Amino acid sequence: MTRTSSLRRLLKAALNLHMVAVEPMVDVGMWVMRSRLMQTPLIKDVILGLIQSTIYDHFCTGENTAATEKLVIELNEAGLRGMLVYALEYADDNEACDRNLQGFLDTAESTKSLPPSSMSCIIVPLLKLL
């Protein structure tokens, strides 16, 4: 990684963190995601593309285990360790709960192929169901 790309990544990270710290910005983002705008394919693609290249890329290591493993190895080679979290999807039935459980188990299993000490911890979100 060159010095220029490192600076660019650092500035992008700072901008992302600033955006999510501004409560009205988060509120607008949530409104857009729940709005009828997301029912228009072209607009939806633009919005999701923007989210993918900013917030998602900052907070998520990848869409699958292969992408996650690649990024974790890159970070480890740079002397950084990560915290691996499986982002649970909302579950309102047994099938969705089973998918979430399997996703978490797959995430935990994937750590076996990562370099030793590349992860400082795995975070297990516990939800209380009413």
Side-chain angles (χ1 to χ4, degrees):
M1 185 179 319
T2 68
R3 185 175 177 161
T4 303
S5 68
S6 295
L7 179 59
R8 187 174 290 127
R9 289 177 77 177
L10 182 61
L11 291 172
K12 182 179 175 182
L15 179 62
N16 281 325
L17 289 173
H18 179 71
M19 284 191 312
V20 298
V22 177
E23 193 170 337
M25 175 84 83
V26 174
D27 292 341
V28 168
M30 294 303 295
W31 176 84
V32 169
M33 292 300 292
R34 293 181 181 134
S35 75
R36 294 179 63 196
L37 292 171
M38 297 301 287
Q39 296 172 4
T40 306
L42 181 60
I43 294 173
K44 179 180 178 180
D45 289 346
V46 169
I47 292 169
L48 292 179
L50 181 63
I51 291 169
Q52 175 78 31
S53 65
T54 55
I55 305 301
Y56 183 89
D57 282 350
H58 181 86
F59 290 103
C60 300
T61 57
E63 293 184 33
N64 55 44
T65 22
T68 299
E69 287 175 11
K70 181 181 177 213
L71 183 58
V72 167
I73 290 168
E74 287 176 20
L75 292 171
N76 188 57
E77 289 171 354
L80 300 171
R81 292 176 21 184
M83 297 182 301
L84 192 58
V85 180
Y86 174 70
L88 291 174
E89 300 292 331
Y90 176 75
D92 60 356
D93 60 27
N94 287 339
E95 186 178 318
C97 287
D98 290 345
R99 276 194 314 272
N100 283 343
L101 175 60
Q102 190 59 53
F104 172 73
L105 294 174
D106 292 345
T107 300
E109 184 71 21
S110 75
T111 62
K112 291 179 180 179
S113 63
L114 297 174
S117 299
S118 61
M119 289 284 112
S120 59
C121 64
I122 297 176
I123 298 172
V124 181
L126 299 175
L127 303 175
K128 178 181 177 184
L129 299 176
L130 301 175

